[in-house]
Amino acid sequence: MENILLTILQLSLFETLCVTGSLILIGFILGFIENRANFYIQSVFGLKGIMITAWIGTPIHELGHLLMCYLFKHKVNKFKLFNLKPRDGILGYVNHSWNQKSLYQNIGNFFIGMGPIFSGTFTLILGMYLFLPDSFATFANYLTLGSGQFDSRTLASIFALTARLFKSIFSTENLTSASFWIYFALAIAISSHIALSKEDLKGAGRGLVTIFSFILLVNVIALLLNIDLSGFFTGILALNVYLVAFSMVSVVFSSIRLVLSAFAYILVSRII
């Protein structure tokens, strides 16, 4: 009996990772990149360096939270998409409440916390479609990756296509186009504020606990009723292929911002 319970617990942890793992990983990667980039920018330009991009990036960040609140039927008490005069470094916020007894609303806390990844990535892809249609066509190749597998070969394909996308965006033709530079400025501003704050992660953590508890309960019931759920979670895992592929756009532009800010920091340090 003890071995069965341990197996169910391990299976539930794995299935929880199937549902949430990619978002969590992407969130931490973007957070690390943004924190380093912000350090360099503030060291060189001060808070004004952050505010240059905040008026575009912060509203899109907060819209991610806001739309997820509505999707998961949370009550939005108060929100501010952008604060021109931030106090304590808070550029925007969404204050919400929910029914503690509602499973759906409690699970929603995870996706509300992760909302900026969805809104930021969607906006970057939409901008690519509008300003760089040829690059968007290259990006559309990602949609062929949904083979139902999420393994090393799939990840290698994602990285290869990401490199191809990077070359497409920064092609000679694009570099001489005004639309490219408009998109580039917007993309840097948006990617500068996709990363999750401590409060975002705290809220997502509440939802993550509920998701794990729900999956654990479902597995116990499935065991008692002898129901096989492996096919369902395999399908969920396959969706991570698309999530990682789409999110690579955010990672690419966040990385570009990091490189540019680090270059400015090194240049100023040498001059001083």
Side-chain angles (χ1 to χ4, degrees):
M1 182 65 179
E2 183 177 337
N3 289 335
I4 293 175
L5 292 176
L6 180 60
T7 300
I8 292 176
L9 183 62
Q10 291 174 337
L11 179 62
S12 299
L13 283 170
F14 172 74
E15 290 171 344
T16 300
L17 285 175
C18 288
V19 176
T20 64
S22 292
L23 272 176
I24 293 172
L25 177 61
I26 292 163
F28 277 110
I29 291 174
L30 291 173
F32 173 79
I33 294 173
E34 185 171 314
N35 286 336
R36 293 308 304 166
N38 285 346
F39 168 77
Y40 294 134
I41 289 172
Q42 291 194 63
S43 297
V44 177
F45 303 106
L47 183 59
K48 291 181 180 179
I50 304 297
M51 296 298 289
I52 290 174
T53 57
W55 67 277
I56 294 176
T58 299
I60 293 174
H61 178 110
E62 299 304 333
L63 276 173
H65 294 311
L66 188 63
L67 293 174
M68 285 295 169
C69 282
Y70 290 130
L71 179 62
F72 286 93
K73 298 183 178 180
H74 282 221
K75 180 182 178 182
V76 177
N77 302 315
K78 190 178 181 182
F79 70 90
K80 198 172 190 67
L81 296 182
F82 181 58
N83 190 356
L84 286 171
K85 298 179 180 180
R87 295 180 180 179
D88 301 324
I90 298 176
L91 298 172
Y93 60 87
V94 176
N95 184 288
H96 60 102
S97 55
W98 64 97
N99 182 357
Q100 303 285 343
K101 297 180 180 179
S102 169
L103 176 65
Y104 181 70
Q105 292 186 30
N106 277 287
I107 288 176
N109 279 316
F110 175 79
F111 295 96
I112 291 168
M114 296 288 173
I117 296 178
F118 295 110
S119 59
T121 300
F122 173 78
T123 307
L124 286 173
I125 294 171
L126 177 62
M128 191 188 305
Y129 173 78
L130 295 174
F131 292 100
L132 304 176
D134 290 340
S135 296
F136 178 81
T138 300
F139 172 77
N141 288 327
Y142 283 132
L143 300 181
T144 65
L145 295 173
S147 60
Q149 299 292 328
F150 192 69
D151 51 27
S152 58
R153 291 181 62 185
T154 303
L155 287 173
S157 297
I158 290 174
F159 290 130
L161 283 171
T162 300
R164 193 184 308 167
L165 175 64
F166 184 86
K167 290 175 65 177
S168 172
I169 291 174
F170 292 93
S171 66
T172 303
E173 182 180 356
N174 280 345
L175 291 174
T176 57
S177 168
S179 61
F180 164 80
W181 292 106
I182 294 172
Y183 176 71
F184 182 77
L186 291 173
I188 292 297
I190 293 166
S191 62
S192 299
H193 300 274
I194 291 180
L196 309 176
S197 67
K198 290 182 179 179
E199 285 301 314
D200 296 342
L201 293 173
K202 183 178 178 181
R206 287 193 293 263
L208 184 61
V209 171
T210 304
I211 291 172
F212 170 73
S213 301
F214 175 68
I215 291 175
L216 180 62
L217 177 61
V218 168
N219 281 328
V220 170
I221 295 174
L223 177 65
L224 294 174
L225 299 179
N226 196 27
I227 299 174
D228 183 11
L229 297 175
S230 58
F232 173 76
F233 284 103
T234 299
I236 293 294
L237 185 60
L239 290 177
N240 284 269
V241 174
Y242 294 104
L243 182 58
V244 171
F246 278 95
S247 298
M248 288 306 293
V249 180
S250 303
V251 173
V252 165
F253 279 100
S254 294
S255 299
I256 292 171
R257 176 178 180 254
L258 174 59
V259 171
L260 292 176
S261 61
F263 178 77
Y265 176 78
I266 293 171
L267 186 63
V268 171
S269 298
R270 290 185 175 180
I271 294 174
I272 295 176

